[in-house]
């Protein structure tokens, strides 16, 4: 449909006068250069409800836009989100979508679902939104289920758990359980193409669903009190032969000496992990020695030879 390009002249004149955003004008004209769009607080402050819906319509009717970033502070609430995605009406074809420092919650998240289901989104980032909780996370993960999403970031939100990442075998395949069939070979990952998961600075304690994400290449859990149970989950993941994890960041996760030893032990035969960051944790000499021994065990020639030579970057508490 050419709804946006055929918006009446009065709307268009009002839009240009009130916004004056060069990027928006490129989008509105379906310009081939309109590949990236960013709207910040200064530009969002002048937008009315009609403007948000028009913006959605312009994006829906654009053939070139690849990335959208809305960093609009308190100007993007549930009401604006509903208007914006009402204008989109499943249109557009963005690959990357970033929402930073906004004020919407569950209602705004739900308004995104039809677009997320129709876009071939590879990167979704939500930063600094205290209203985004575990229920919001579950709605978005379900919308992205089975899709091409490769990078998922919920940074400084209010997630209490991430169990939505895991497929519930009991609910999804009850007939197999009734027949006493094995479910070991059934994928329990809702996001089978996910390579990077950034969950820094949330309130997450239970990370058990990550055990099945052997295809992850980068995992960031800074600022979450994952405890001993969380370290055990990561330990199991790192010991799996098909683990693809290359980068792991566990800064400020309240890790003590025992947890450090668990993690170090899990890396004895791991040949994939290259970068590990454990800054601002609680372990001291005992935990640090476990990692130093992992990298260069001088107790014998064989153990020196069999030390971990894959881990090339290691940051320990100072």
């Amino acid at each position: 449909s050419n709804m946006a390009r055929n918006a009446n002249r009065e709307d268009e004149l009002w839009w240009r006068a009130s916004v004056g955003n060069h990027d928006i004008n490129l989008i509105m004209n379906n310009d081939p250069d309109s590949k990236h769009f960013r709207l910040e607080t200064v530009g969002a402050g002048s937008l009315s409800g009609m403007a948000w819906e028009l913006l959605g319509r312009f994006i829906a009717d654009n053939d070139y836009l690849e990335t959208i970033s809305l960093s609009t502070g308190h100007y993007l609430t549930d009401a604006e989100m509903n208007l914006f995605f009402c204008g989109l009406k499943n249109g557009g074809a963005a690959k990357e979508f970033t929402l930073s420092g906004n004020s919407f919650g569950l209602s705004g998240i739900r308004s995104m679902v039809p677009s997320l289901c129709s876009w071939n989104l590879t990167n979704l980032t939500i930063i600094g939104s205290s209203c985004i909780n575990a229920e919001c996370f579950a709605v978005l993960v379900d919308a992205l289920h089975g899709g091409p999403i490769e990078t998922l970031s919920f940074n400084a939100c209010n997630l209490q758990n991430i169990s939505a990442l895991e497929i519930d075998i009991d609910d999804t395949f009850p007939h197999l359980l009734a027949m006493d069939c094995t479910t070991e070979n059934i994928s329990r990952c809702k996001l089978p193409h996910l390579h990077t998961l950034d969950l820094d600075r949330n309130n997450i304690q239970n990370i058990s669903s990550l055990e099945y994400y052997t295809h992850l290449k980068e995992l960031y859990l800074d600022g979450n009190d994952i405890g001993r149970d969380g370290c055990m989950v990561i330990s199991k993941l790192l010991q799996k032969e098909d683990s693809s994890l290359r980068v792991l960041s566990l800064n400020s996760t309240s890790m003590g000496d025992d947890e450090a030893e668990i993690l170090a032990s899990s890396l004895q035969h791991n040949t994939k992990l290259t970068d590990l960051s454990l800054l601002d944790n609680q372990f001291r000499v005992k935990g640090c020695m476990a990692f130093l021994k992992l990298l260069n065990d001088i107790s014998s020639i064989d153990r020196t030879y069999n030390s971990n030579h894959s881990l090339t970057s290691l940051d320990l508490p100072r």
Side-chain angles (χ1 to χ4, degrees):
S1 141
N2 290 322
M3 181 185 299
R5 284 195 291 272
N6 293 330
N8 66 60
R9 184 64 177 166
E10 182 180 347
D11 283 351
E12 183 175 333
L13 289 174
W14 170 86
W15 178 268
R16 292 181 183 277
S18 62
V19 180
N21 186 303
H22 175 68
D23 291 340
I24 294 178
N25 290 332
L26 291 178
I27 293 170
M28 183 171 62
N29 295 321
N30 201 31
D31 193 296
D33 291 332
S34 58
K35 294 182 179 180
H36 310 287
F37 173 66
R38 180 178 179 86
L39 182 64
E40 298 184 337
T41 303
V42 174
S46 61
L47 301 191
S48 67
M50 181 175 71
W52 280 108
E53 186 170 353
L54 277 173
L55 177 59
R57 285 162 55 185
F58 296 150
I59 291 174
D61 216 39
N62 185 278
D63 300 318
Y64 305 101
L65 193 61
E66 297 175 0
T67 68
I68 302 170
S69 178
L70 304 178
S71 304
T72 55
H74 63 277
Y75 293 114
L76 185 54
T77 66
D78 286 328
E80 284 76 25
M81 284 284 284
N82 279 284
L83 288 166
F84 175 68
F85 281 98
C86 178
L88 268 171
K89 293 181 179 177
N90 305 351
K95 300 291 185 183
E96 300 182 13
F97 191 32
T98 298
L99 295 159
S100 179
N102 299 297
S103 302
F104 58 86
L106 183 58
S107 176
I109 290 292
R110 284 176 172 159
S111 71
M112 296 170 61
V113 170
S115 292
L116 293 183
C117 291
S118 63
W119 291 349
N120 287 316
L121 202 67
T122 59
N123 187 324
L124 175 62
T125 298
I126 297 180
I127 302 173
S129 297
S130 60
C131 296
I132 304 301
N133 56 23
E135 187 175 3
C136 297
F137 182 75
V139 169
L140 290 176
V141 168
D142 285 343
L144 297 167
H145 186 173
I149 191 77
E150 296 177 356
T151 299
L152 186 63
S153 300
F154 282 73
N155 201 307
C157 294
N158 190 30
L159 305 187
Q160 297 82 23
N161 71 76
I162 53 172
S163 59
L165 288 170
E166 178 185 350
I167 294 174
D168 190 329
I169 297 294
D170 294 351
D171 291 341
T172 309
F173 303 101
H175 58 291
L176 295 180
L177 297 175
M179 295 185 292
D180 292 327
C181 294
T182 180
T183 58
E184 291 181 2
N185 295 323
I186 295 176
S187 173
R188 301 187 69 161
C189 302
K190 288 185 180 178
L191 308 177
H193 304 288
L194 192 64
H195 291 167
T196 301
L197 180 61
D198 183 351
L199 299 173
D200 283 355
R201 295 178 296 155
N202 282 282
N203 298 312
I204 304 165
Q205 294 182 344
N206 187 342
I207 61 169
S208 59
S209 56
L210 294 181
E211 182 180 341
Y212 307 103
Y213 279 76
T214 56
H215 51 284
L216 272 180
K217 294 182 178 179
E218 298 184 23
L219 176 60
Y220 303 89
L221 290 169
D222 297 358
N224 293 286
D225 189 5
I226 62 173
R228 181 184 178 87
D229 289 343
C231 285
M232 289 297 295
V233 170
I234 293 174
S235 173
K236 290 179 182 179
L237 177 62
L238 291 169
Q239 291 180 76
K240 292 185 176 182
E241 290 185 3
D242 57 344
S243 174
S244 301
L245 202 60
R246 305 283 197 276
V247 178
L248 176 61
S249 186
L250 298 173
N251 301 319
S252 303
T253 52
S254 301
M255 188 182 300
D257 285 320
D258 289 345
E259 290 80 13
E261 289 185 313
I262 290 171
L263 193 59
S265 177
S266 70
L267 289 169
Q268 287 181 356
H269 303 291
N270 182 289
T271 60
K272 302 289 182 62
L273 194 72
T274 60
D275 295 77
L276 175 61
S277 187
L278 302 171
L279 296 172
D280 299 320
N281 276 296
Q282 298 173 1
F283 64 89
R284 292 296 179 261
V285 175
K286 186 179 179 182
C288 290
M289 288 302 297
F291 283 102
L292 295 178
K293 186 176 181 179
L294 168 73
L295 297 176
N296 188 21
D297 187 344
I298 61 173
S299 60
S300 72
I301 294 175
D302 284 343
R303 290 189 176 182
T304 301
Y305 178 78
N306 291 318
S307 296
N308 185 303
H309 303 296
S310 303
L311 191 61
T312 55
S313 175
L314 174 62
D315 291 320
L316 298 175
R318 296 181 174 86

